[in-house]
Amino acid sequence: MTKLLPALLLAALTSGTAAALSVGGTVTGNVPAGARVGGFVVDSGGTPFAELVSVPVAGGRFTLEIPSVTPPVRGVSPLRPDAIFWPGVLEPVNVSGQVNTADLRFYIYADGNGNGRRDDSEALQEAVPFAGKAALVVAYASGDASITAARGFTAALKSGWNGLLIEVGKVVKVTQSSAITGVNLNVER
């Protein structure tokens, strides 16, 4: 029993921060020295305000383990058809399920003081994630919901963080996964 108790305590402490979504790939372009890739929750205007997770860029590569945590209230809003600004989402847009959502965007910054997190003096450079021809969207949902839009766009959000690869063509193809690899973040100045 004495050996079991510490194991149960450790499991309880780590279960709330387990990775909900894994995103990995490469960083190319004007990558600053000491660069980190950060996943930031953005407000309704698209401004990043909360670093949810970050990792150093090592050899031009990164792997982010996005924890299964609820985003800060400031970044959460009701899922509405007129407030979805993802690639390939064109009217008519339909949403089923009344949930709250938040978006996570990727930024690169130089960790000048090496403390493993962004400080106000460290500039952010947005890096739009692509996997091949597909754009990556990372969105949080407070419950299950589905979104349909023109040209075949269909996405079924599950409660928690969702990784959507959206390929826009004559038909919009949406692929969902909890482990996304082959993502390229291109840093331009």
Side-chain angles (χ1 to χ4, degrees), residues 79 95-100 142-145:
L79 179 63
V95 172
S96 69
Q98 295 182 350
V99 300
N100 290 321
S142 63
D144 295 350

Side-chain angles (χ1 to χ4, degrees), residues 61-147:
R61 304 196 61 75
F62 74 98
T63 300
L64 277 177
E65 301 291 336
I66 299 167
S68 57
V69 297
T70 303
V73 173
R74 179 176 160 197
V76 178
S77 61
L79 179 63
R80 299 187 338 253
D82 64 340
I84 302 171
F85 303 106
W86 303 338
V89 177
L90 301 172
E91 292 185 353
V93 180
N94 296 299
V95 172
S96 69
Q98 295 182 350
V99 300
N100 290 321
T101 63
D103 286 333
L104 188 80
R105 295 197 187 150
F106 297 93
Y107 292 84
I108 308 295
Y109 62 92
D111 185 11
N113 60 7
N115 66 353
R117 63 176 161 61
R118 181 184 175 260
D119 297 308
D120 290 339
S121 62
E122 297 166 344
L124 290 177
Q125 298 174 311
E126 186 169 8
V128 180
F130 278 90
K133 294 180 182 178
L136 171 62
V137 170
V138 176
Y140 172 84
S142 63
D144 295 350
S146 63
I147 303 166

Side-chain angles (χ1 to χ4, degrees), residues 26-30 108 125-130 184-188:
T26 58
V27 180
T28 58
N30 296 320
I108 308 295
Q125 298 174 311
E126 186 169 8
V128 180
F130 278 90
N184 179 256
L185 299 175
N186 188 355
V187 181
E188 297 179 3

Side-chain angles (χ1 to χ4, degrees), residues 44-68:
S44 60
T47 303
F49 72 92
E51 182 177 47
L52 190 66
V53 62
S54 71
V55 294
V57 176
R61 304 196 61 75
F62 74 98
T63 300
L64 277 177
E65 301 291 336
I66 299 167
S68 57

Side-chain angles (χ1 to χ4, degrees), residues 6-17:
L8 290 174
L9 181 60
L10 179 62
L13 290 173
T14 59
S15 65
T17 58

